[in-house]
Amino acid sequence: MRLLRLLRLLRLLRLLRLLRLLRFLVASAMLPAALSAQAPQGAPASNRTYDAVVEGMSCKQQQNGRMDCEYKVGKSLRFVIAGVGQQDVVVNFFKVDAGEDYFASVAPLHGCVVVQPVLPKADSIANLAFVSPQDGKIYRNWNTCLKPAKKSP
């Protein structure tokens, strides 16, 4: 009787491992498409986060020539990129409320500000926005946001 239970338990564990592997393989197959460098030809797919960042963006040139861009996204996020495109560019976060609609972080891989919705959904990866400190522009994916910093002479 114990041997039979042990065999059933082993079968169940194998099945769980197989399901985990299958879930991993499916997620791995879908990830490159979601993070692809180019949007499909024609109209880009809908991205509410990207649209919200574009809507809340405003840039102003200071008296000293420095360009500062402010981003107000939803009710919960406000940040400024001071000195857009300069070697000493700074990203200042003035409001981040993870209890509301959006939050942001800076990714060391590409140096861009990553804006994402607080509540993850099935399309979370496709619903990100990337803001470049190098040009102040908003991108739909990190590959296009990834640009080398300008070197001053």
Side-chain angles (χ1 to χ4, degrees), residues 54-66:
V54 169
E55 183 180 320
M57 173 190 178
S58 66
C59 294
K60 182 178 180 185
Q61 185 170 342
Q62 303 302 317
Q63 291 293 332
N64 62 3
R66 183 183 78 193

Side-chain angles (χ1 to χ4, degrees), residues 67-139:
M67 181 71 72
D68 294 347
C69 292
E70 181 177 17
Y71 304 84
K72 293 178 182 177
V73 188
K75 297 180 249 174
S76 59
L77 179 61
R78 181 175 167 248
F79 63 97
V80 171
I81 299 178
V84 171
Q86 296 183 2
Q87 291 269 330
D88 60 346
V89 63
V90 176
V91 178
N92 295 305
F93 292 94
F94 292 104
K95 182 177 182 186
V96 179
D97 184 355
E100 289 286 337
D101 44 4
Y102 295 98
F103 71 97
S105 56
V106 177
L109 173 67
H110 44 73
C112 296
V113 177
V114 182
V115 178
Q116 52 192 320
V118 169
L119 297 175
K121 296 182 178 154
D123 65 344
S124 291
I125 292 174
N127 206 18
L128 302 177
F130 301 85
V131 183
S132 172
Q134 298 307 314
D135 60 14
K137 292 182 181 179
I138 304 147
Y139 296 91

Side-chain angles (χ1 to χ4, degrees), residues 2-70:
R2 287 180 128 180
L3 183 60
L4 186 58
R5 286 183 186 168
L6 184 60
L7 287 174
R8 287 182 184 161
L9 183 60
L10 286 174
R11 284 185 198 149
L12 183 60
L13 287 174
R14 284 186 200 140
L15 182 59
L16 285 173
R17 283 188 204 137
L18 183 62
L19 286 174
R20 286 183 189 147
L21 177 63
L22 182 60
R23 185 172 55 182
F24 172 76
L25 291 174
V26 168
S28 297
M30 295 173 76
L31 189 59
L35 296 176
S36 67
Q38 296 294 324
Q41 295 296 333
S46 175
N47 180 331
R48 285 172 279 156
T49 304
Y50 175 87
D51 296 340
V53 177
V54 169
E55 183 180 320
M57 173 190 178
S58 66
C59 294
K60 182 178 180 185
Q61 185 170 342
Q62 303 302 317
Q63 291 293 332
N64 62 3
R66 183 183 78 193
M67 181 71 72
D68 294 347
C69 292
E70 181 177 17

